[in-house]
Amino acid sequence: FAKEFKPPSLEFNELKDKDDRHDSASVLSRLCTLCVRGFLELKRDPGIIGVRLVMYTMLALLIGLMYLGLGNDKTDSDIVARTAILFYTAAFMVFMSVAVLPF
């Protein structure tokens, strides 16, 4: 009456071959697809380009002003000041890359 269910048995090599067939798109075609999607998103909301341009310009000016008064001395306090500003700049850039504008 009722037949027992037997799952298909595939060997490891057969599974690997099946996975390779699904990965038919090349890296270049994937990159092109992602670029087109990104440009379409920018085309739909062009105001975000201006906001980001102003935001990053102001950020560059503020970080540049932090380096203005450091001087060229090679004393311990100047080296510590440069190291602190480099750490602050790197940490700030990491946090800015994680932040997403809400629109």
Side-chain angles (χ1 to χ4, degrees):
F1 301 166
K3 295 182 179 179
E4 285 185 31
F5 175 72
K6 292 183 182 179
S9 62
L10 297 174
E11 294 182 14
F12 179 73
N13 290 336
E14 292 175 6
L15 287 174
K16 185 176 182 244
D17 291 341
K18 284 191 174 193
D19 289 340
D20 288 344
R21 278 186 252 137
H22 293 293
D23 194 24
S24 62
S26 69
V27 174
L28 185 61
S29 67
R30 290 179 186 179
L31 178 66
C32 290
T33 302
L34 289 176
C35 288
V36 167
R37 287 180 186 176
F39 286 126
L40 284 176
E41 185 179 336
L42 288 175
K43 185 180 174 184
R44 289 182 190 133
D45 191 11
I48 199 165
I49 297 173
V51 171
R52 285 185 179 171
L53 183 66
V54 169
M55 182 177 69
Y56 287 123
T57 302
M58 294 302 293
L59 178 65
L61 288 173
L62 290 175
I63 289 176
L65 287 174
M66 286 193 307
Y67 284 95
L68 187 63
L70 282 181
N72 295 328
D73 296 334
K74 293 180 175 69
T75 63
D76 288 340
S77 62
D78 287 338
I79 293 172
V80 169
R82 283 189 196 94
T83 305
I85 288 180
L86 283 172
F87 175 76
Y88 174 79
T89 304
F92 192 75
M93 291 298 172
V94 167
F95 289 126
M96 284 298 291
S97 69
V98 174
V100 176
L101 293 175
F103 48 86

